[in-house]
Amino acid sequence: MLKGGMSVVLAMTALVSHAQNAIQSVTGSVQSGVEVIRIETAEPLSAVPTGFTIQSPARISLDFPGLVNAVGSNSVDINQGNMRSANVVQAGERTRVVINLKQPSPYEAKIEGNALLVVMDRDASAKSTEAAPSAAPVKAETFAKDLNSDVGTLKDIDFRRGADAAGRVVVELQNNQVGVDIKQVGKDLVVEFLKTDLPEGLARKLDVTDFGTPVQTIATSQAGDRVRMVVRPIGQWEHSAYQSDTQFVLEVREQKIDPNKLTQGPGYNGEKLSLNFQNIEIRSLLQVIADFTNFNVVTSDSVGGSVTLRLKDVPWDQALEIILDAKGLGMRKNGNVLWIAPRDEIAAREKQDLEDRKALQTLEPLRTQSFQMNYAKAADVAKQILGSGAEGTDAARILSERGSVIAEPRTNQLFVTDVPSKLEQVQQLISKVDIPIRQVLIEARIVEADDTFGRSLGVRLGGADLRGVRGGLSGYDLGAGGDSRASIAGSYDAASITSIGSFNTNDTVNTPDPLTTDNTSFVNLPAAGVAGFAPAAFAVSLFSQAANRFLNLEISALEADGRGRIVSSPRVVTADQVKALIEQGTEFPYQTATASGATAIAFRKANLKLEVTPSITPEGNVILDVDVNKDSRGEETEMGIAINTKHVQTQVLVENGGTVVIGGIFEQEEASTVTKIPLLGDIPVVGNLFKNRRNTSNKRELLVFLTPRVIADRGVSR
């Protein structure tokens, strides 16, 4: 009885297999220059099967629902014209035929009896064959074609750090006709500049690791009649290149991976496909894309309907978004699994998951974990975990409602009690917060320069009358007898006179009373001292022995030229975003009145002070909040000593190791003074005997230079 039942089952299975349609053969031929694929089936097809094309590699895929593979093999060699081979793969109750081509080509499918004819586009195939014969290799298109007739010279090679930590290689070309070829060889990017010579100064290897970009080294060398540049990046990266006139720029940036994105990179980066469907069910269309992309697709029961779609050479990730938007569907990605459902259903599911997760936290057992702080203070981290620095505030609270934290200052530890998921968040926060703070060395140079010049010119003009000395009469010689009562032994001359109105001889005067003369200054405009020095004088006296009179002329002049420079260089090391202060100077005492009327001693500072707060940017530059004082002692007044103050306060952005001038004070004082006797001083030439001239020119300048250096672990490189 059992044996008879088994025979009936086998017979029914054979009958069902015989009744199911099947693909019997796949052949290719070229008829009158037209390439045709003929797919024979056991029974006529009811409709043309759906299909799509792939550009690289060139393929045509056709899906036959309800058909089985009766060819006897999964691969069929064709090798006719643009056709290479065909693959026949059965999956369940569906069979897919994949036609492999040499060049992408559009097609047209039609049913003739028990066969499906796939006809290639003759014009497109001919163009592809002419453009790239099968016997010749296809040459990759270069970035820029070479239009130069002569060999040029590369001018400059530079490297810069761009936005988002991208490495930018900037090459200055001789002209905009230079051919450029870019290709990836292994892990390196190779850029070749055709018909170009490399100067000796540019044939070198640049180590750009310190810039913090994916680019590590740039090696440039001469290779025949072209310049070969090898750029070596690390990690996951992507590149782009552009040329503006004579400047060629190659930019290499880190590839940011988004786990929720179908394909990585900016925009759409999926493999291109072409779709042409009329009223195809949305589920069948999603299955076509799933087979093309090797993603596992889970479709909700509420997904249904049909869509008419025509897409040509569209990235598959963009095509999927177009399909989902057309039907109001959403998608969630988990690894290589795509869950597709209506957007409202996805939103409701996510909301329910959040509510379940929150409810689970109220039931999940608590766990206590200790965290050792190495650099940060445990109390400060505890405030950040609790949110906004205040306990009980839920604005930025990381812990759950049942969580708590204790900071132990003696051992600098945190004891956190909460559910395991929150403890993981606390661990992630501590790993980013508890890090050594970078330090900055700030060096300032305060330069004060003085340039002074002064010139003074003056005259003195006067006369002396000796006739009235001790009874002498007008018109008589002094000491010549007669009525003169002043007797002088010996002789004298004009050379013995040392001062106006007095003279010396080898003998003494025979009179008990001192001699007197009348000395009159007609013009008294001598030169003034400059820079604390007295002027030099040149004097001439004219003596008339007959008239007993002197005429005195004195010319005084002084010129002073002075230059001085004071350089102050305070230095201070501080942590990132921590204010530092360094000062040096003198305190001067002065008296003040108290409330009781008594006097007290107070002090006034004259200091050199540098107060700075550095902030290191993610790019490695330094923002400085600077306050610089340069005081000195001034003049003394009745109220005390005055203080000369120079003050600069500002905020600047400086690159690491760079120098910036944050301020300068320039003063120039010029004065020209002329003192003269009215009328007489205006006479040409002779009027100079009745004038005093004084010219002064003083220049003072203050400059403040700042140089920040970020200190590495190994110290400061200088």
Side-chain angles (χ1 to χ4, degrees):
M1 184 67 180
L2 181 61
K3 185 176 180 180
M6 290 292 293
S7 300
V8 172
V9 172
L10 292 175
M12 293 180 62
T13 303
L15 181 62
V16 172
S17 301
H18 179 73
Q20 189 174 11
N21 199 358
I23 298 176
Q24 295 181 339
S25 65
V26 178
T27 59
S29 62
V30 179
Q31 303 174 4
S32 300
V34 179
E35 299 162 345
V36 179
I37 297 290
R38 185 180 183 87
I39 303 175
E40 296 281 351
T41 58
E43 297 179 2
L45 298 176
S46 59
V48 176
T50 59
F52 59 90
T53 61
I54 302 174
Q55 299 297 317
S56 178
R59 292 175 181 174
I60 298 175
S61 297
L62 300 172
D63 284 337
F64 296 84
L67 272 71
V68 297
N69 181 12
V71 178
S73 174
N74 292 333
S75 178
V76 178
D77 293 332
I78 299 176
N79 292 326
Q80 294 285 334
N82 191 35
M83 301 173 291
R84 294 180 182 272
S85 61
N87 296 328
V88 183
V89 181
Q90 180 179 347
E93 297 181 356
R94 180 170 58 92
T95 300
R96 169 171 294 181
V97 177
V98 179
I99 304 171
N100 301 310
L101 307 176
K102 298 176 183 178
Q103 297 292 333
S105 174
Y107 72 95
E108 181 182 358
K110 57 183 179 180
I111 299 175
E112 287 187 1
N114 290 356
L116 175 70
L117 301 182
V118 181
V119 182
M120 308 295 173
D121 189 343
R122 179 178 179 180
D123 295 335
S125 178
K127 292 178 181 178
S128 301
T129 304
E130 292 176 3
S134 58
V138 179
K139 184 178 180 181
E141 185 178 358
T142 60
F143 175 80
K145 294 182 179 180
D146 183 28
L147 301 178
N148 275 338
S149 58
D150 299 329
V151 177
T153 303
L154 210 63
K155 290 187 176 181
D156 190 22
I157 300 175
D158 192 12
F159 181 81
R160 303 170 187 171
R161 178 187 170 97
D164 297 332
R168 302 182 63 196
V169 183
V170 182
V171 181
E172 191 69 26
L173 307 175
Q174 185 176 8
N175 52 52
N176 56 5
Q177 307 296 321
V178 178
V180 182
D181 187 15
I182 306 173
K183 55 188 175 182
Q184 183 174 350
V185 179
K187 297 182 179 180
D188 299 337
L189 269 177
V190 178
V191 184
E192 292 184 343
F193 303 93
L194 310 180
K195 291 184 181 179
T196 305
D197 286 338
L198 183 65
E200 293 184 2
L202 298 180
R204 62 182 183 268
K205 183 177 181 180
L206 300 178
D207 186 355
V208 294
T209 307
D210 294 340
F211 284 84
T213 69
V215 181
Q216 300 298 296
T217 59
I218 304 170
T220 311
S221 60
Q222 187 76 43
D225 63 343
R226 60 184 61 189
V227 175
R228 182 182 179 91
M229 176 185 294
V230 180
V231 180
R232 175 159 295 179
I234 60 170
Q236 299 294 328
W237 52 270
E238 56 189 6
H239 76 280
S240 61
Y242 63 90
Q243 183 175 345
S244 176
D245 197 14
T246 60
Q247 188 179 76
F248 170 80
V249 179
L250 175 66
E251 187 169 290
V252 181
R253 67 183 65 87
E254 182 182 1
Q255 185 178 13
K256 297 181 179 179
I257 299 178
D258 186 357
N260 297 320
K261 198 173 181 181
L262 293 174
T263 57
Q264 302 304 322
Y268 300 101
N269 296 271
E271 193 174 0
K272 293 184 179 181
L273 54 80
S274 298
L275 300 174
N276 188 358
F277 298 111
Q278 294 288 335
N279 294 326
I280 185 176
E281 291 187 359
I282 191 68
R283 287 177 172 271
S284 300
L285 185 57
L286 294 175
Q287 184 62 42
V288 170
I289 294 180
D291 294 339
F292 178 76
T293 60
N294 294 324
F295 271 99
N296 299 316
V297 177
V298 178
T299 307
S300 174
D301 295 338
S302 55
V303 175
S306 59
V307 64
T308 299
L309 190 66
R310 179 178 175 85
L311 300 175
K312 185 176 181 180
D313 296 340
V314 177
W316 71 263
D317 48 350
Q318 183 181 8
L320 180 59
E321 287 193 10
I322 293 174
I323 296 169
L324 298 180
D325 291 340
K327 303 302 292 183
L329 302 176
M331 176 191 64
R332 289 296 177 268
K333 178 175 175 287
N334 185 8
N336 64 340
V337 178
L338 301 180
W339 175 48
I340 297 176
R343 294 173 182 172
D344 295 341
E345 183 178 339
I346 292 178
R349 176 69 62 85
E350 291 180 347
K351 181 179 179 181
Q352 184 63 38
D353 290 343
L354 293 175
E355 292 177 353
D356 294 343
R357 192 177 299 113
K358 185 176 181 181
L360 182 62
Q361 289 182 355
T362 61
L363 302 176
E364 192 174 3
L366 300 179
R367 186 162 60 90
T368 300
Q369 184 175 347
S370 62
F371 300 93
Q372 178 66 55
M373 300 293 105
N374 297 319
Y375 304 98
K377 292 183 178 180
D380 296 339
V381 178
K383 293 179 180 179
Q384 296 177 1
I385 294 175
L386 293 173
S388 301
E391 296 186 9
T393 303
D394 295 334
R397 182 184 176 95
I398 296 179
L399 301 181
S400 64
E401 296 179 356
R402 298 190 298 160
S404 62
V405 57
I406 298 175
E408 207 288 310
R410 187 177 63 86
T411 59
N412 201 28
Q413 291 189 77
L414 279 180
F415 297 92
V416 184
T417 301
D418 211 329
V419 296
S421 60
K422 291 297 181 180
L423 293 178
E424 291 181 3
Q425 297 182 18
V426 172
Q427 178 67 53
Q428 294 176 1
L429 174 64
I430 292 177
S431 64
K432 295 181 179 180
V433 172
D434 188 29
I435 58 177
I437 301 177
R438 290 185 291 179
Q439 295 181 324
V440 184
L441 169 66
I442 300 101
E443 180 179 0
R445 288 183 178 87
I446 305 172
V447 181
E448 294 180 275
D450 293 334
D451 188 356
T452 60
F453 176 79
R455 176 183 294 167
S456 180
L457 180 64
V459 297
R460 295 179 65 185
L461 184 62
D465 190 354
L466 302 179
R467 294 177 300 173
V469 179
R470 298 297 293 172
L473 300 178
S474 176
Y476 288 87
D477 293 338
L478 191 64
D483 295 332
S484 177
R485 291 180 289 179
S487 61
I488 301 176
S491 62
Y492 64 91
D493 51 18
S496 65
I497 300 176
T498 59
S499 63
I500 299 177
S502 64
F503 55 89
N504 296 327
T505 65
N506 295 328
D507 300 327
T508 59
V509 179
N510 297 323
T511 175
D513 299 326
L515 296 175
T516 61
T517 61
D518 294 330
N519 189 353
T520 303
S521 294
F522 304 115
V523 179
N524 188 15
L525 298 173
V530 179
F533 293 93
F538 175 75
V540 177
S541 297
L542 301 178
F543 172 64
S544 175
Q545 185 174 5
N548 292 321
R549 296 175 182 174
F550 286 96
L551 180 61
N552 306 310
L553 174 62
E554 180 183 282
I555 300 176
S556 56
L558 180 63
E559 181 176 311
D561 189 1
R563 290 181 177 84
R565 184 178 67 175
I566 301 176
V567 179
S568 305
S569 182
R571 301 180 185 179
V572 65
V573 177
T574 182
D576 184 22
Q577 299 183 5
V578 177
K579 181 185 293 186
L581 172 64
I582 183 172
E583 63 179 342
Q584 178 187 10
T586 306
E587 293 187 358
F588 298 101
Y590 64 96
Q591 290 185 351
T592 59
T594 61
S596 61
T599 59
I601 301 297
F603 292 89
R604 182 174 301 167
K605 291 184 177 181
N607 286 350
L608 168 63
K609 182 182 73 171
L610 172 62
E611 183 177 322
V612 60
T613 304
S615 298
I616 304 174
T617 65
E619 294 81 9
N621 299 327
V622 183
I623 299 176
L624 298 177
D625 287 324
V626 186
D627 191 350
V628 180
N629 270 14
K630 179 65 174 70
D631 301 338
S632 60
R633 177 172 180 167
E635 62 182 6
E636 295 187 7
T637 64
E638 296 180 357
M639 303 303 295
I641 300 173
I643 303 298
N644 298 328
T645 301
K646 298 179 180 66
H647 186 200
V648 178
Q649 184 175 4
T650 185
Q651 183 184 80
V652 292
L653 173 64
V654 193
E655 63 180 2
N656 182 22
T659 301
V660 63
V661 182
I662 65 170
I665 301 174
F666 179 77
E667 299 179 30
Q668 183 174 0
E669 179 182 351
E670 293 183 354
S672 179
T673 305
V674 178
T675 305
K676 63 182 179 179
I677 296 176
L679 298 179
L680 297 178
D682 297 330
I683 300 174
V685 183
V686 180
N688 293 325
L689 298 176
F690 305 96
K691 292 181 181 178
N692 175 283
R693 292 189 180 90
R694 184 177 182 182
N695 297 326
T696 59
S697 177
N698 298 326
K699 299 178 183 179
R700 290 177 293 273
E701 187 173 8
L702 173 67
L703 295 175
V704 181
F705 300 84
L706 280 181
T707 303
R709 292 184 176 89
V710 179
I711 300 177
D713 295 338
R714 60 182 180 273
V716 182
S717 299
R718 298 196 61 185

